[in-house]
Amino acid sequence: METTLRARIRDGDGDAFGQLFDAYARSVYNHAFRLTGDWSTAEDIVSLTFLEAWRLRGRVDAEGGSLRPWLLGIATNTVRNTRRATRRHAAALTRLPPAEAVRDFADEVAGRIDDAELLAVVRLALDSLRRNEREVLALCVWAELDYAAAAQALGIPVGTVRSRLSRARKKLAAATRDLEPRRRSGQVRDSRVPAVRPAQEGK
């Protein structure tokens, strides 16, 4: 039985791999829990173990006995890798500077918004930013993420978040100053209605 199962798994038979999971998932889970002492982590290890087993299926010998030792070996290596990744992550966090309070200019802008025309000015100012600058602005200011969390969300270094946010703020301030005279002269009146509608969420 195991020999036939081995050959089918080696050939990439999905049904055979499902049988392997049904037969040994509990064993892998228990092993992972014993190594980690955490039920949630053990569940993640099970998923990662079988993903890795599928990737390595071509290395399975067609002849042999139970595949349980092979799976538990993969689970052990997965736990090691997970622990190393956790340690690296923790070490990286300790090297980060203390999270700075992100100045939220939303209230400041909101306090100055006394009519629909000024909302139009803000909308045009936001449109002057690059996409990546708007993304950082949205995460750090409106979603209230710190630099590290925003960096993680975007998959970029913390320093890049800082520089993009700084550029976005400078551009937004400059664009608002440049557009303010146009607002007074009535040049942005046509943008009034579409600019008001997105602000209904309260941000």
Side-chain angles (χ1 to χ4, degrees):
M1 176 64 180
E2 285 288 346
T3 298
T4 302
L5 186 64
R6 280 171 168 269
R8 291 170 60 197
I9 288 172
R10 184 185 179 92
D11 292 339
D13 187 322
D15 291 336
F17 202 81
Q19 293 177 31
L20 183 72
F21 182 87
D22 292 340
Y24 297 120
R26 173 58 60 179
S27 181
V28 171
Y29 180 82
N30 290 337
H31 178 65
F33 176 73
R34 295 186 190 104
L35 293 178
T36 64
D38 183 89
W39 296 113
S40 179
T41 301
E43 290 175 354
D44 293 338
I45 295 299
V46 171
S47 299
L48 293 171
T49 294
F50 280 93
L51 284 173
E52 183 68 1
W54 177 257
R55 188 181 72 84
L56 299 175
R57 64 189 183 279
R59 300 182 184 180
V60 174
D61 293 332
E63 301 291 333
S66 172
L67 285 166
R68 182 171 177 271
W70 177 64
L71 288 171
L72 295 185
I74 294 175
T76 301
N77 288 332
T78 300
V79 170
R80 290 173 181 169
N81 293 337
T82 301
R83 284 175 171 168
R84 280 196 293 268
T86 300
R87 287 195 297 268
R88 286 196 298 267
H89 179 69
L93 290 179
T94 61
R95 291 194 296 270
L96 292 176
E100 298 178 8
V102 179
R103 178 172 169 262
D104 187 349
F105 63 86
D107 291 339
E108 176 184 335
V109 172
R112 293 163 46 209
I113 296 177
D114 55 0
D115 57 27
E117 289 182 349
L118 190 51
L119 277 172
V121 170
V122 174
R123 180 67 264 171
L124 290 174
L126 287 172
D127 288 343
S128 71
L129 302 179
R130 294 181 177 179
R131 176 185 56 80
N132 56 22
E133 293 167 346
R134 288 198 301 270
E135 290 172 349
V136 169
L137 192 72
L139 290 172
C140 291
V141 176
W142 294 312
E144 299 181 346
L145 297 185
D146 60 25
Y147 293 140
Q152 182 180 6
L154 296 173
I156 59 177
V158 173
T160 303
V161 171
R162 292 175 182 271
S163 60
R164 288 181 183 176
L165 184 59
S166 176
R167 287 198 304 269
R169 284 174 167 163
K170 290 177 181 177
K171 288 183 179 180
L172 197 60
T176 303
R177 285 195 303 269
D178 293 343
L179 288 169
E180 186 67 15
R182 293 172 54 191
R183 182 183 74 88
R184 296 195 185 100
S185 65
Q187 294 181 29
V188 296
R189 289 182 181 274
D190 290 340
S191 299
R192 178 173 53 198
V193 175
V196 172
R197 289 174 181 166
Q200 293 176 351
E201 293 181 357
K203 288 293 183 183

